[in-house]
Amino acid sequence: MTLPEPLKSQILHAVAEDGGAKPAMLEALRLVQQAEGWVSDARLAQVADLLGVSTAELDSIATFYSLIFRKPVGQTVIMLCDGASCWMNGGDALRDALMDRLGIGYGQTTADGRYTLINSACVGGCDRAPALLIGPGRRLVGPLSPDGVAALLEGGL
Amino acid sequence: MTARVELNGRWFDATEGRDLLSTCLENGVDVPHFCWHGALGSVGACRLCAVRVYSGPDDTMGRIEMSCMTPVRDGMRVEVEDAEAGRFRAHVIEWLMLNHPHDCAVCEEGGACHLQDMTVATGHRNRRSDAPKRTHARQDLGPFLTHEMNRCIACYRCVRFYRDYAGGTDFNVFGAHDRVWFGRAEAGALDSPFAGNLAEICPTGVFDDKQWSQHYARPWDMTETPAICTHCSVGCNITLHERAGTLRKVQNRYHGAINGFFLCDRGRFGPWFVDAPGRITAPRQNGTAIAPDAAIALARQAVADGAIGIGSPRASLEANFALRELVGPDRFFAGVSDAEAAQVARMLAILQTTPASLATIKDFESADAALILGEDLTATAPRAALALRQAARGAEKALAGEKGVPDWLDQAVRVAGEGRRSPIAIVTPLPDALDDAATHPLRRAPDQVATFGFAIAAALRGEPSDPEAQAVAQALAAAHAPLLVSGIGLSRAEPAEALASIAAALGAKARIALFPAEANSFGLALLSPKGGLESALAANPAPLIVLENDLYHRADSATVNALLSRAPLTIALDCLDTATTARAALVLPVASMAEATGTYINNETRAQRSLAARRPTDAAPAAWRVLAQIGGLLGDAPRLDDVLAALAARSPALAGAALAAPPATALPAVARAPESYSGRTAHDLAGRVPQGTLPHQDPDSGMGWSMEGLRGAGVPPALSTGPHRPGMHSVSAAYAAQTTIGGPLKGGDPGVLLLVKSETQGQALTDPTPNGDGLRWLPLHSPFAATETDLASPPLAARAPAQHLLLHPDDATRLGLTAGAQTLVDGQPCAAPVTLDAAMPRGWVGLTAPRGRSPLVTLGAVP
Amino acid sequence: MSETLPLTGRARPDRSPHTLAEWRAVGGYASVERALQMTPVQLVDLVDAANLNGRGGAGFQAAKKWRFMPAVGTSPGIGTNYLIVNGDEMEPGAFKDRFLLEALPHQVVEGAIIAAYATHSRHAIILIRDDYRAGISAIRRAIAAAEAANLLGTNILGSGFNLHLRVHPSAGRYIVGEETALISALEGGRAIPRKRPPFPAQSGLWGRPTTVNNVETISLVPHIVAQGAQWFRALSRTEEGGTKLYGVSGMVNRPQLIEAPMGTTARELIDRAGGVSGTGVLRCFQPGGGATPFLEPADLDTPMDFGHMAKAHSMLGTGTLIVLDQGTCPVAVTARHMAFYARESCGWCTPCREGLPWAARILTALEDGTATPRDIDILRMTAAEAGPRGRTFCDLMGGAMGPLASLLSRFGDLVEAHLDGGCPIRRGLL
Ligand SMILES: Cc1cc2nc3c(=O)[nH]c(=O)nc-3n(C[C@H](O)[C@H](O)[C@H](O)COP(=O)(O)O)c2cc1C
Ligand code: SF4
Ligand code: FES
């Protein structure tokens, strides 16, 4: 499948905005990820082509940054803070509850493809510890108790 | 500006602002290091080069600093052995070794490993972690290199060389933190024709020479012999590693004016032809073995019958000279097309008369403007192309300098330089591998390249000219050391003529380099052959003696076929079976470059001696010996020095060739096996001949065959086997042999320039404009394969591109050809299917070898 | 309100950002008009007089940094100067810039315009951590509105000053917050730090003179312009000017952000955060995020500014306190920090790339009770060898060694007690 037109033009727009293909590489990857959830090998090669850089150069960037996903992720990505303040406020219990409920560990995706759980650096929600980020909008949720996990996953929080 | 610095208690003169690590190494003070490299500069990644620095007499505390990142200041005092600095270095090694597999016992690098040396140097010995080690995936990177990522210490030298220095794009660093990983985006052969250097750039065993790995011997169990690469006209210096009679590894041998620290892959992997299956081992007549004496007798008769000698740009000066002596100067022809023979002779004449100085490859790097006229340099003289890439960075370094950033601070220079590029114009018919390094990548049809060059010359003389030529002329005129490069790659004479007129207009500040096709093209031309193969054909039918030359690679098959058919007898001397030996009635085996000492004249007319790395077999002596034997020349047991003396007597202009290395008898034998060579009694004589029956010293080179003899600093550079010494077993030991890092060798860079300047302007050559039907021929080149020896090397053959035939789509339509069509070229079926390429000039057909075609090619569909 | 709480006084309780009109109604952008009537040099002098220390962690004087920026046409090379606003905020325990970006975007834009003008920059970039989506869109909206009102773009308010301002979301990695790594990231590369010198003001983004300032630093600038240097200095209880956006998290009852005079004490801040939770008894605290050395109750009354914290052998850092009660083990907290720093090492230099994972592994082993005395030696070695400035390429490793070194020096016995079966606090022994 070739790169969809809208994505192509968004990427070219980024090239214009960021002042060249090189500085736009990250933005291009982000755009692909925004549209498709992750960056596949095929997309990576197509984007490299479009930008006129080598696949190796683009992948060197893609694999450096932690928020560019080079593996498929679920519809909803949950990024659970593993910072110290969240840990002090029950982060481990929240983690266990999430893993139990989802049946997955960090870096894994539920069998139904709905959720991916990732451990994240401090999410800047220490005043709401323990906290997590959820969904494409990276909504900050917290403080969240293990009991709140069910409601969260059912969309109630 | 000179600064006085104290290094480990002794005061030295140093250059103010230069990095402290280089300063230490240049003064014989070893400082452990990984990420720094003499050609790549400083980046401060590994943190191994820590030393204590006192800023001046009043500084009693000092500071631990990374010597590679510290500029030298007057009055600075440096303690390398400071306890705190030493402890820190040992911990850096401890950290690096946490995940290293400690697999020295099965690692190729073991024994010549910079990591081993540094580990010993810092004194780290006890492992204090029992955590599981990190492991990495590895890749198949093609026929040249192994890839064992678990050994990686993340010094980043590989990616800095491959990408930043050599311009490769298919290799990089991936991931982050302690999972950084170096390789390709996906497995596959590395694109860059300089990839092989990773084997030496990598300070441990991640990237190693795959050929060595497959023909493995321990580093200390191989003899080392200085040789010259015979795969293009640059003449890079190499070391051949041998054990038990077979080649094991080819390594760069530092030469300050030519190859510096790096080789191209054609040079590193080309010599494997010497052990190729196609080696000829015994004389044969019409396909059947013949006694050596009988073969010599037949050849003698042929000479008596007025044989014609066909010399070779691949063979040594001595071999060509011996052939000329054998048949007489009037019957000695160059084994290339007439056109090429004339062009090469003319190139020499241009170099003799030009006001420009002759550029060494090292000079390429410091050029502040450059023009390449017509040459696909990356394919025809790869090492020169690598040097030119560095010239592109001159403007960046200059701007960085204005901002106070010294040129050795590599990464900072790349940023502070704001992407500036020195003006480099590349004028070629097709997109060029160096285009990314050029400010002016310009396309001209082959016959327009020289036109453009003459327009530049006109602009330089103040005459009206086209705007692009004006721009290039301006850049060249503004430069302090403009570099002018051309060669024979287009099989045309006029680009060199145009270059000569540009050089004349620029005057003495210009530097010029002209690249003929092969390692000894200039040597052959200096022997004044009576033309090329067409001239030989026009001479009376006579027996032919063809020296180390597959003529089918150097001229079109019609000419070669005619020549061979008309000869009453063809005698071929070669080490390899080729299309030419297949047609010769009498085939005489000769030594390859690995068994024959000989002199080669490179593109600067530098005579360089390549030494035999092993004894020739009785059946296949050096070609000049066979020829001398046929002619009864030089007595019973001639030595190479005798040939050179005869050459000097006959052609005083070539007398300098004798000085390329000391006479064989000038010194006691030079040891070529390292001191740690194991099994010294077994050695390579074991089981074959009783110990001691063969002479210990090679009569042609002065090299001993074993570990007994001279070694170390007393050995002149031309005979030097390798810089390693106790504590420094890797290529990193080479710095100690350099006067300054990256500068000339102590004792002088080997080689002797033969060129004598002359006032006599010769006759300029013009390229005939062919008329008639057909397409005009545009020669195509590959960095991995040019001639028969390249293709006989298994690793190079594996990377050699398929034959190519390029056509502009319009021409294809006109001829009724489509992409992939099979064609007849000049009536013969062509191996390559048609490739359509809109970048091709219209009316031209791009074709790979042979390089001596007629300028007009008829092309038609296979009926 | 905004007299004493200039930074946060105008924020709404629900953090919803102001429209341009709303912002103007509360006095927004008046400082831009005023600043554009001054010369850049006058502006730098003003900020100098205010003694504004950078809020990104190191506390470097903003005016000093700005003064290094060459005037247009006076530096070698071609192109503009750049101003970069650093909103990467990934330090463990830091959550202040998130608030300023989300709730007060026009304040950031205002400050960026003034700082760009003072640094002769014609381009400014606000780099924001990608996870701060609300902040990113708030800033983008603010920029669009400011552009429409000619507060950005060409000939701003008829002053002749042009400024292009854009947002760059970072794709993750703590090291992106380090100013030279940030520049590498903006250029499209891996966020590997760069050697200083050359400093960004000599050779920064694309080799051009560049200033990097923290979001909070930039947010303070309009207030200095509006109310003057004396007023700004008077806000502070110490020599260092202004208020500080502190934060308190960890074991406190009401973790929160608190804008307070520079030099406010930890005791006051913890009190305002509802006091110590858990056991209710303070064991120790990190004054300014994960990379700041631990302090103990004896330091509760030390004024929290850059100078005083340094004298107390810690650092103000981001000014966001992490509070540990008696029931919380500093070994465990350090272990979490170390795992973070190990993971976020860029991988460029050896001590950080290899040394941090080793230290992190040992801290985990201490918690688990599987560590050996030799492991503690290794922790000491790591802190001693890699902690001092200049040992690693950038300050990430040095930062990570701050808590580790203080853990070993202040809580050595507690650390050793872990050898005997793991964390004694967790096991209820302490
Ligand atoms: C590892 C590391 C991470 C950093 N992260 C940030 C950050 O997220 N935000 C920030 O403003 N400064 C961060 N800094 C500090 C910056 O390098 C820089 O000093 C700061 O942005 C300057 O702003 P200021 O002068 O306004 O304080 C970091 C420094 C280091 C060494
Ligand atoms: S200390 Fe070294 S490895 Fe660590 S983040 Fe800085 S440059 Fe990268
Ligand atoms: S050689 Fe100096 S840091 Fe690597």
Side-chain angles (χ1 to χ4, degrees):
Chain A
M1 211 178 55
T2 56
L3 214 51
E5 271 313 316
L7 208 45
K8 229 183 229 176
S9 61
Q10 279 176 305
I11 292 174
L12 293 175
H13 177 77
V15 172
E17 175 74 4
D18 293 351
K22 242 200 110 187
M25 288 195 298
L26 257 185
E27 187 58 25
L29 292 167
R30 199 198 332 272
L31 287 166
V32 170
Q33 184 159 303
Q34 207 172 8
E36 306 184 345
W38 67 297
V39 181
S40 66
D41 285 356
R43 283 284 181 257
L44 188 93
Q46 290 161 351
V47 171
D49 240 26
L50 183 64
L51 293 177
V53 301
S54 73
T55 325
E57 175 151 20
L58 193 59
D59 207 14
S60 174
I61 307 298
T63 54
F64 180 86
Y65 293 99
S66 50
L67 296 180
I68 300 297
F69 302 145
R70 290 284 281 113
K71 283 185 195 153
V73 291
Q75 285 153 20
T76 302
V77 176
I78 300 175
M79 300 172 68
L80 179 62
C81 179
D82 66 4
S85 291
C86 283
W87 172 76
M88 282 185 248
N89 286 283
D92 283 359
L94 176 59
R95 175 197 64 202
D96 295 345
L98 266 170
M99 287 184 176
D100 262 11
R101 172 87 193 187
L102 295 171
I104 53 174
Y106 281 143
Q108 295 177 340
T109 299
T110 53
D112 61 3
R114 285 186 62 198
Y115 291 104
T116 296
L117 182 64
I118 299 177
N119 54 324
S120 167
C122 175
V123 298
C126 315
D127 50 345
R128 295 168 66 182
L132 54 74
L133 305 176
I134 186 164
R138 302 269 204 276
R139 190 162 56 92
L140 177 72
V141 177
L144 183 66
S145 69
D147 301 340
V149 166
L152 174 77
L153 297 182
E154 277 142 30
L157 267 177
Chain B
M1 216 178 74
T2 307
R4 291 286 289 167
V5 288
E6 190 197 66
L7 309 176
N8 280 354
R10 288 171 59 208
W11 286 90
F12 294 91
D13 281 336
T15 308
E16 174 93 13
R18 184 165 171 72
D19 69 287
L20 183 55
L21 176 54
S22 298
T23 304
C24 287
L25 296 179
E26 280 166 0
N27 289 300
V29 176
D30 278 338
V31 178
H33 61 270
F34 281 121
C35 63
W36 177 89
H37 183 280
L40 304 181
S42 304
V43 292
C46 74
R47 316 310 279 180
L48 185 62
C49 63
V51 296
R52 184 175 293 276
V53 177
Y54 301 88
S55 55
D58 303 332
D59 183 355
T60 52
M61 298 286 291
R63 267 174 57 92
I64 304 296
E65 287 185 36
M66 300 307 133
S67 57
C68 73
M69 301 300 270
T70 305
V72 163
R73 299 275 175 252
D74 192 40
M76 189 180 248
R77 292 179 297 123
V78 180
E79 278 299 334
V80 179
E81 296 317 323
D82 172 77
E84 193 181 348
R87 202 169 55 231
F88 181 70
R89 293 194 301 261
H91 285 307
V92 169
I93 294 287
E94 177 172 35
W95 282 315
L96 289 174
M97 294 305 286
L98 281 178
N99 286 292
H100 186 80
H102 291 83
D103 60 341
C104 306
V106 295
C107 177
E108 290 90 338
E109 195 84 351
C113 176
H114 189 60
L115 176 59
Q116 278 182 334
D117 285 344
M118 295 300 100
T119 304
V120 172
T122 58
H124 164 69
R125 39 176 72 241
N126 292 330
R127 183 173 172 73
R128 292 194 291 170
S129 165
D130 39 24
K133 290 178 186 176
R134 156 188 77 212
T135 55
H136 286 297
R138 60 180 159 210
Q139 284 179 325
D140 184 347
L141 295 176
F144 295 160
L145 290 165
T146 60
H147 189 223
E148 179 42 89
M149 262 304 294
N150 288 340
R151 296 174 184 148
C152 178
I153 55 160
C155 68
Y156 289 81
R157 263 158 56 158
C158 54
V159 65
R160 293 179 57 223
F161 170 77
Y162 195 95
R163 259 169 43 112
D164 300 348
Y165 193 89
T169 59
D170 61 323
F171 177 94
N172 219 315
V173 49
F174 303 91
H177 51 90
D178 62 339
R179 301 279 338 163
V180 287
W181 188 91
F182 301 82
R184 295 185 85 239
E186 48 197 40
L190 287 158
D191 285 343
S192 168
F194 308 102
N197 292 302
L198 292 181
E200 291 181 41
I201 275 285
C202 174
T204 165
V206 178
F207 301 101
D208 254 320
D209 183 323
K210 199 180 250 182
Q211 296 309 310
W212 180 33
S213 182
Q214 288 168 1
H215 304 85
Y216 190 68
R218 280 294 184 190
W220 60 84
D221 277 343
M222 300 185 288
T223 63
E224 292 166 47
T225 305
I228 303 297
C229 171
T230 58
H231 296 266
C232 89
S233 67
V234 172
C236 292
N237 288 206
I238 56 176
T239 302
L240 299 179
H241 294 244
E242 175 267 5
R243 179 167 176 86
T246 56
L247 181 64
R248 302 308 178 98
K249 179 162 81 158
V250 179
Q251 214 168 26
N252 182 65
R253 179 164 57 97
Y254 184 89
H255 189 290
I258 306 177
N259 44 299
F261 298 97
F262 304 120
L263 294 175
C264 79
D265 290 350
R266 193 153 97 212
R268 186 179 299 273
F269 299 101
W272 285 94
F273 80 87
V274 305
D275 282 341
R279 281 295 297 263
I280 306 170
T281 51
R284 63 175 191 252
Q285 186 180 25
N286 298 322
T288 43
I290 174 178
D293 286 351
I296 295 294
L298 280 171
R300 242 177 224 147
Q301 187 55 49
V303 174
D305 294 345
I308 283 174
I310 307 289
S312 169
R314 191 191 109 202
S316 69
L317 188 65
E318 292 84 348
N320 277 300
F321 172 66
L323 178 60
R324 192 182 78 171
E325 288 292 282
L326 180 65
V327 298
D330 290 338
R331 289 192 293 279
F332 178 64
F333 294 86
V336 297
S337 67
D338 268 8
E340 178 174 334
Q343 286 161 12
V344 174
R346 177 63 190 147
M347 284 163 77
L348 276 171
I350 288 172
L351 294 180
Q352 276 169 337
T353 55
T354 180
S357 59
L358 264 57
T360 64
I361 301 297
K362 180 78 179 170
D363 290 336
F364 275 47
E365 296 178 358
S366 54
D368 54 351
L371 166 68
I372 301 183
L373 215 46
E375 203 65 12
D376 174 1
L377 207 60
T378 306
T380 61
R383 184 61 186 83
L386 185 61
L388 193 85
R389 286 191 172 275
Q390 315 318 314
R393 293 190 59 210
E396 163 179 290
K397 287 180 177 166
L399 178 55
E402 283 180 54
K403 297 180 182 177
V405 180
D407 61 0
W408 46 264
L409 201 56
D410 188 56
Q411 177 275 333
V413 168
R414 289 173 193 276
V415 175
E418 298 181 13
R420 279 201 189 171
R421 286 291 168 263
S422 298
I424 295 181
I426 295 184
V427 191
T428 50
L430 290 172
D432 193 84
L434 279 172
D435 279 352
D436 63 308
T439 50
H440 299 69
L442 300 170
R443 298 293 89 90
R444 292 292 185 275
D447 59 338
Q448 294 303 306
V449 166
T451 313
F452 185 77
F454 285 119
I456 296 171
L460 285 167
R461 292 189 301 262
E463 298 161 21
S465 183
D466 88 73
E468 278 180 321
Q470 287 281 5
V472 176
Q474 256 168 29
L476 294 173
H480 297 294
L483 173 71
L484 306 172
V485 181
S486 189
I488 206 168
L490 288 176
S491 292
R492 301 179 69 83
E494 285 167 357
E497 300 292 353
L499 205 72
S501 65
I502 296 169
L506 284 169
K509 73 172 181 178
R511 294 166 177 171
I512 191 168
L514 290 171
F515 293 97
E518 294 191 54
N520 206 23
S521 288
F522 275 168
L524 176 59
L526 286 166
L527 290 170
S528 309
K530 299 280 143 192
L533 293 173
E534 290 86 350
S535 301
L537 181 60
N540 285 336
L544 284 181
I545 302 178
V546 182
L547 171 67
E548 299 184 81
N549 194 335
D550 183 3
L551 303 174
Y552 290 96
H553 274 272
R554 295 176 178 81
D556 71 318
S557 49
T559 306
V560 180
N561 284 337
L563 183 68
L564 297 179
S565 334
R566 276 189 61 181
L569 172 71
T570 300
I571 304 173
L573 281 68
D574 212 332
C575 60
L576 284 174
D577 264 324
T578 66
T580 301
T581 61
R583 289 206 49 181
L586 183 63
V587 177
L588 296 176
V590 296
S592 75
M593 56 83 69
E595 304 102 43
T597 297
T599 308
Y600 298 84
I601 316 299
N602 82 348
N603 72 294
E604 332 152 57
T605 74
R606 185 188 296 260
Q608 299 195 94
R609 191 73 46 76
S610 182
L611 310 187
R614 58 189 175 197
R615 292 175 203 270
T617 62
D618 291 342
W624 64 264
R625 271 204 171 81
V626 177
L627 294 163
Q629 195 191 355
I630 295 169
L633 313 165
L634 298 171
D636 282 346
R639 292 164 169 257
L640 193 81
D641 290 329
D642 303 331
V643 189
L644 289 163
L647 173 66
R650 193 78 73 190
S651 310
L654 299 180
L659 306 176
T665 49
L667 297 164
V670 173
R672 70 175 102 203
E675 275 162 321
S676 43
Y677 201 97
S678 48
R680 54 189 290 180
T681 50
H683 203 161
D684 57 355
L685 304 177
R688 290 197 274 138
V689 285
Q691 195 57 328
T693 56
L694 288 175
H696 169 57
Q697 190 167 11
D698 181 347
D700 294 337
S701 71
M703 297 295 286
W705 290 111
S706 71
M707 58 186 285
E708 282 83 25
L710 278 186
R711 60 174 80 244
V715 178
L719 304 184
S720 173
T721 56
H724 39 68
R725 57 196 146 94
M728 280 294 231
H729 302 83
S730 75
V731 291
S732 305
Y735 303 121
Q738 297 156 25
T739 48
T740 55
I741 305 285
L745 284 167
K746 291 173 181 163
D749 289 321
V752 175
L753 287 192
L754 295 185
L755 190 82
V756 187
K757 283 280 177 186
S758 148
E759 295 292 307
T760 342
Q761 298 290 336
Q763 187 64 43
L765 290 181
T766 53
D767 296 309
T769 310
N771 39 34
D773 286 340
L775 293 161
R776 302 180 68 184
W777 171 51
L778 162 58
L780 305 178
H781 303 275
S782 153
F784 297 113
T787 64
E788 64 273 24
T789 55
D790 306 343
L791 287 165
S793 152
L796 279 189
R799 289 289 279 123
Q803 290 254 331
H804 256 70
L805 189 158
L806 298 187
L807 268 187
H808 190 279
D810 292 354
D811 288 322
T813 311
R814 193 166 49 77
L815 294 168
L817 294 170
T818 51
Q822 299 295 328
T823 56
L824 295 178
V825 172
D826 293 336
Q828 299 293 316
C830 176
V834 171
T835 302
L836 300 183
D837 187 345
M840 275 293 294
R842 286 183 182 78
W844 295 75
V845 56
L847 279 167
T848 31
R851 67 168 192 259
R853 290 177 187 282
S854 63
L856 217 50
V857 175
T858 63
L859 187 66
V862 172
Chain C
M1 190 69 175
S2 67
E3 276 292 290
T4 52
L5 299 179
L7 261 183
T8 57
R10 286 176 287 180
R12 294 164 170 152
D14 69 348
R15 292 190 170 205
S16 61
H18 300 77
T19 63
L20 179 60
E22 289 166 349
W23 189 248
R24 285 197 134 148
V26 294
Y29 289 103
S31 310
V32 170
E33 286 174 40
R34 182 180 295 199
L36 293 180
Q37 281 158 15
M38 300 166 71
T39 65
V41 173
Q42 285 171 330
L43 265 175
V44 176
D45 288 343
L46 175 67
V47 172
D48 201 356
N51 197 12
L52 169 62
N53 285 335
R55 305 297 202 240
F60 194 80
Q61 284 194 345
K64 213 164 169 185
K65 206 186 270 190
W66 293 4
R67 238 186 260 289
F68 287 130
M69 294 289 279
V72 177
T74 63
S75 68
I78 297 169
T80 179
N81 294 357
Y82 289 92
L83 172 80
I84 298 171
V85 183
N86 189 346
D88 192 51
E89 190 167 76
M90 280 182 73
E91 190 70 46
F95 52 104
K96 64 184 184 74
D97 295 340
R98 179 195 266 272
F99 177 78
L100 294 173
L101 293 163
E102 284 178 10
L104 297 156
H106 277 295
Q107 183 169 267
V108 179
V109 172
E110 225 182 323
I113 297 168
I114 300 168
Y117 179 68
T119 55
H120 316 282
S121 306
R122 299 295 175 265
H123 275 262
I125 299 162
I126 306 179
L127 178 131
I128 305 174
R129 175 179 182 184
D130 192 40
D131 295 321
Y132 286 5
R133 295 287 167 88
I136 292 173
S137 55
I139 293 282
R140 281 195 166 136
R141 279 197 305 272
I143 290 175
E147 273 171 352
N150 188 223
L151 290 159
L152 284 170
T154 40
N155 192 17
I156 295 171
L157 305 178
S159 65
F161 175 56
N162 305 335
L163 179 65
H164 180 78
L165 176 65
R166 65 182 170 94
V167 172
H168 178 101
S170 154
R173 290 291 171 218
Y174 167 65
I175 192 63
V176 172
E178 197 283 336
E179 61 178 13
T180 60
L182 186 157
I183 290 170
S184 311
L186 286 177
E187 290 174 3
R190 297 158 60 84
I192 308 295
R194 293 175 173 174
K195 164 96 168 41
R196 290 175 302 190
F199 292 97
Q202 284 169 275
S203 172
L205 185 62
W206 311 116
R208 301 303 304 155
T210 301
T211 289
V212 182
N213 274 127
N214 173 253
V215 165
E216 186 184 341
T217 316
I218 288 295
S219 298
L220 285 165
V221 169
H223 302 289
I224 296 172
V225 173
Q227 319 238 33
Q230 284 321 308
W231 165 83
F232 189 76
R233 294 187 77 137
L235 287 174
S236 164
R237 292 197 196 155
T238 66
E239 279 304 294
E240 300 172 23
T243 57
K244 172 79 189 84
L245 185 50
Y246 294 101
V248 190
S249 76
M251 297 308 285
V252 287
N253 287 311
R254 287 193 308 278
Q256 59 182 287
L257 288 173
I258 299 167
E259 183 179 5
M262 181 64 96
T264 302
T265 64
R267 185 185 303 283
E268 291 172 82
L269 293 169
I270 292 173
D271 280 352
R272 284 181 61 180
V276 176
S277 62
T279 60
V281 184
L282 181 73
R283 181 182 289 277
C284 59
F285 63 98
Q286 291 181 277
T292 53
F294 288 104
L295 292 178
E296 290 177 85
D299 290 304
L300 274 173
D301 296 314
T302 308
M304 290 205 17
D305 68 3
F306 291 99
H308 286 89
M309 286 294 103
K311 250 184 247 143
H313 303 292
S314 186
M315 287 166 13
L316 181 62
T318 56
T320 46
L321 280 93
I322 302 174
V323 175
L324 281 69
D325 72 328
Q326 283 291 349
T328 302
C329 180
V331 173
V333 169
T334 311
R336 261 122 204 113
H337 289 336
M338 213 55 62
F340 165 80
Y341 292 115
R343 191 173 71 208
E344 297 302 325
S345 162
C346 79
W348 178 248
C349 68
T350 307
C352 175
R353 184 184 62 243
E354 310 292 345
L356 283 176
W358 197 11
R361 240 187 346 256
I362 291 173
L363 285 162
T364 307
L366 278 169
E367 276 201 273
D368 296 348
T370 55
T372 64
R374 189 179 66 182
D375 285 339
I376 297 179
D377 291 345
I378 290 163
L379 289 181
R380 288 190 202 284
M381 174 280 282
T382 308
E385 296 295 342
R389 257 208 130 156
R391 296 296 175 88
T392 50
F393 193 81
C394 82
D395 294 334
L396 185 146
M397 178 78 171
M401 290 302 97
L404 179 63
S406 63
L407 175 79
L408 293 165
S409 62
R410 291 180 184 271
F411 303 107
D413 293 346
L414 177 61
V415 173
E416 306 235 337
H418 279 69
L419 293 176
D420 199 12
C423 180
I425 296 176
R426 199 181 53 202
R427 290 183 294 141
L429 300 178
L430 276 178

